[in-house]
Amino acid sequence: MKRKYSKYFTALTLTAGLQLMSCSDSFLDVKPKGLDLESNYYRNQEEAFNGVVAAYDVVGWQGSGFVTTIATLNAASDDHYAGGGGPSDIMDFQVISNYTLNPTTGPQGELWRKGFSGVFRANSILQKLPDVPMDENVKKRYTAEAKFLRAYFYFELVRLFKNIPLFTTPVSTSDMYDVLQATPQEVYGQIEKDLSEAIPDLPASINVATEAGRASQGAAHAILGKVYLYQEKFAPAAQELALVNGTPSGANTYGYKLLPNFGDLWKSDNKFNSESIFEISYTNTSAGTWDCVSCTEGNIMNIITGPRGYTRKSDTAPDYVSGWSFLPITPELFSAIHFDPRNKATVANLDSLEKAGLVSYEKGYMNTGYFLEKFAGRVSNRWTGAGTPELNFPQNMYDTRLADTYLLEAEALVRGNGDLTRAAALIGAVRARVGLKPVAATLENIKKERRLELVGEGHRWMDLVRWGDAPTALKSKGFVAGKHEILPIPLLEMENTKIEQSKEWGGTR
């Protein structure tokens, strides 16, 4: 247990020797050399910067079992099945998709490890920064970024697990077994504090050429708006999100604007575009191999979502890479989006292509014939350099983009009895981008719009839980109300510690 816990909770012991995962091909390409002990590190501005990079790195965490936050939450939702090659293929996806997970089996261990690795990297740099001899304005920015990241990781952890420890300083090995959990309210309070303190010292804009992937004021306002909305603090949520959104489809303080063409959002060479608020960075230059899947900086979503055994029979067929057929789109979602203008850029309709004689493909587990067009790997993006091609796709993913924040602000306004005219304009802007007419500002319309706009981007399950719709929408998959709204605390985190299982999972917390 001690070895397991030290892996989770002293994530920055060898700061300079960290294997950076999921780094961008711009700002996050620092490769510290050597194995300097953490106690001897942070001697200058360069080393402080490397520590900040190490904290950012966890945003794109990809576990050795192919577990990522977005893929896991897709599998859990009503928009996707787990899929793959069979009912035991990537079991973490299977058990959350059919709700047979338990404290010992499921993706929760990897997601817990991700979150707290990020927290402890952020805490370590925050502890060390005051004593680093460096430019004070740069130090303020690094401090703000570390607080942003700590808030970011805690926001994911508290939504996934509810009952979690709250650390604002690094924890020594001797103390980690006496750690207690905080209340969700305490965690949310710290998140709000971190983001509010970070905003003034974050830059209003980011130079994409040199700093792409770093947090800005707009990103912090967006995350803080989400944090308020999840607590049903509708007025402050709307206020924060309005700062990000500006005039729907018009002027914006931070320069964000919807891309004219929805399909352009998913082009691998269109990173950090005007709609991107906070982006998860990947690159095809890491030379990742099967020896260490979690070490690759390529996007594994591209290979896991592609159709299995794919063969083109015509040059007019899409150039998909033969993938592993995970996360096929459910018939219910296909029916909902089939006649929507976003369908073509969202759904890879292998069923239709095969019937037209253009392709053939292997029917994987729970095959529907519909795959995630947004993320299906392409031959044109297939890496031909060093490393394993399957692990080195370069497509970035969005954590937060403008259409998402438009709809979140509209929701805050509708649920908080706010300005319905503005709410309708926000919804209308998202629809107008794809040629759809305006609709009334109702919660039901917002729910429909979020589902079709954000397919496969990891939002659907959280939305269903937040709205209280999960028990109905996910009943056929095995979802149990009052239990599956959160993940169980991993069993290993409770052995020989004071951490307790949540009541929803039979515990006392």
Side-chain angles (χ1 to χ4, degrees):
M1 180 60 194
K2 285 187 178 181
R3 183 169 55 192
K4 188 74 172 180
Y5 231 85
S6 65
K7 181 179 180 182
Y8 282 27
F9 280 82
T10 55
L12 206 52
T13 300
L14 295 177
T15 304
L18 288 170
Q19 173 64 50
L20 300 184
M21 305 171 298
S22 311
C23 301
S24 82
D25 48 6
S26 53
F27 146 67
L28 293 179
D29 62 359
V30 176
K31 298 291 189 297
K33 297 179 180 179
L35 290 173
D36 295 328
L37 288 174
E38 190 265 349
S39 59
N40 297 327
Y41 210 63
Y42 304 114
R43 295 164 297 190
N44 52 49
Q45 184 167 310
E46 180 183 1
E47 292 184 352
F49 177 73
N50 291 351
V52 174
V53 171
Y56 270 108
D57 183 69
V58 184
V59 172
W61 184 282
Q62 298 182 138
S64 58
F66 304 102
V67 170
T68 65
T69 302
I70 290 177
T72 298
L73 297 186
N74 284 349
S77 79
D78 58 339
D79 285 349
H80 306 271
Y81 298 128
S88 61
D89 199 358
I90 305 188
M91 279 299 295
D92 287 340
F93 291 169
Q94 306 297 336
V95 298
I96 198 167
S97 187
N98 60 27
Y99 289 94
T100 58
L101 73 166
N102 58 58
T104 59
T105 304
Q108 63 273 3
E110 196 66 48
L111 298 179
W112 182 280
R113 180 161 57 247
K114 170 197 172 179
F116 282 108
S117 292
V119 166
F120 283 104
R121 293 186 189 191
N123 280 342
S124 183
I125 187 67
L126 284 168
Q127 182 188 57
K128 297 292 185 178
L129 272 173
D131 297 324
V132 178
M134 59 184 289
D135 180 275
E136 287 301 316
N137 287 326
V138 175
K139 183 183 292 188
K140 286 181 180 179
R141 180 180 181 183
Y142 289 1
T143 300
E145 289 178 285
K147 288 183 178 180
F148 169 89
L149 289 167
R150 182 168 66 186
Y152 175 88
F153 294 122
Y154 265 127
F155 185 40
E156 183 171 299
L157 284 165
V158 74
R159 286 182 294 166
L160 289 175
F161 296 100
K162 182 181 174 182
N163 301 303
I164 57 175
L166 178 61
F167 304 100
T168 55
T169 59
V171 179
S172 67
T173 303
S174 60
D175 292 336
M176 60 183 60
Y177 302 102
D178 294 322
V179 166
L180 298 174
Q181 289 145 291
T183 65
Q185 293 75 21
E186 289 171 326
V187 177
Y188 272 113
Q190 184 62 47
I191 294 170
E192 292 175 12
K193 181 176 183 290
D194 277 345
L195 290 171
S196 297
E197 291 178 355
I199 288 170
D201 293 323
L202 290 172
S205 62
I206 297 294
N207 185 330
V208 172
T210 58
E211 299 184 330
R214 298 179 76 169
S216 65
Q217 290 182 6
H221 282 300
I223 301 301
L224 183 54
K226 290 184 183 183
V227 168
Y228 285 138
L229 182 61
Y230 271 79
Q231 299 174 84
E232 300 191 352
K233 297 179 178 179
F234 299 123
Q239 182 178 0
E240 290 294 324
L241 292 163
L243 294 172
V244 179
N245 296 334
T247 302
S249 294
N252 187 295
T253 300
Y254 298 112
Y256 303 125
K257 61 180 180 180
L258 298 177
L259 293 186
N261 183 358
F262 177 79
D264 288 346
L265 285 162
W266 320 112
K267 294 181 177 179
S268 291
D269 59 357
N270 199 19
K271 299 183 179 187
F272 307 109
N273 56 65
S274 65
E275 189 165 337
S276 177
I277 296 173
F278 192 55
E279 193 160 322
I280 305 171
S281 303
Y282 297 101
T283 179
N284 59 359
T285 60
S286 66
T289 67
W290 295 121
D291 292 337
C292 183
V293 172
S294 61
C295 300
T296 184
E297 297 167 15
N299 189 347
I300 61 175
M301 190 77 150
N302 294 141
I303 193 65
I304 71 172
T305 59
R308 184 176 293 260
Y310 179 75
T311 302
R312 297 173 78 192
K313 295 184 176 181
S314 167
D315 291 340
T316 63
D319 67 330
Y320 301 126
V321 171
S322 183
W324 303 344
S325 70
F326 283 97
L327 307 177
I329 285 171
T330 62
E332 292 77 15
L333 173 60
F334 182 73
S335 294
I337 200 172
H338 189 199
F339 297 106
D340 186 276
R342 288 161 288 204
N343 174 61
K344 185 176 180 180
T346 301
V347 181
N349 192 336
L350 272 293
D351 179 66
S352 177
L353 290 170
E354 186 175 61
K355 287 178 179 177
L358 300 177
V359 308
S360 64
Y361 73 104
E362 179 185 338
K363 310 307 181 290
Y365 181 57
M366 302 191 81
N367 175 65
T368 62
Y370 314 123
F371 298 85
L372 258 176
E373 172 72 22
K374 288 180 178 179
F375 303 126
R378 298 280 189 153
V379 171
S380 53
N381 282 333
R382 187 179 177 90
W383 179 238
T384 58
T388 304
E390 291 85 352
L391 300 179
N392 288 281
F393 284 95
Q395 184 180 7
N396 283 2
M397 303 183 76
Y398 302 103
D399 176 89
T400 306
R401 59 183 176 91
L402 193 60
D404 175 22
T405 58
Y406 272 17
L407 295 173
L408 289 173
E409 184 191 344
E411 179 182 339
L413 291 169
V414 168
R415 296 179 69 188
N417 299 313
D419 184 348
L420 296 186
T421 300
R422 177 172 171 83
L426 289 160
I427 304 166
V430 175
R431 292 174 59 82
R433 189 249 297 270
V434 294
L436 293 172
K437 295 179 179 180
V439 294
T442 67
L443 182 57
E444 204 54 42
N445 282 337
I446 292 168
K447 289 179 179 180
K448 291 177 182 177
E449 206 61 37
R450 284 189 64 80
R451 186 182 195 187
L452 301 185
E453 175 72 20
L454 301 170
V455 171
E457 297 178 53
H459 299 291
R460 176 65 175 173
W461 185 83
M462 291 285 193
D463 283 347
L464 291 173
V465 170
R466 184 175 80 255
W467 295 327
D469 294 344
T472 299
L474 300 172
K475 183 178 180 180
S476 64
K477 297 185 79 174
F479 187 98
V480 176
K483 177 180 182 179
H484 289 129
E485 287 84 356
I486 60 174
L487 302 182
I489 306 296
L491 182 63
L492 285 171
E493 300 307 321
M494 296 181 289
E495 292 181 352
N496 303 319
T497 75
K498 293 182 179 180
I499 293 179
E500 300 172 341
Q501 186 59 268
S502 300
K503 289 181 179 179
E504 291 87 343
W505 287 88
T508 57
R509 180 68 187 184

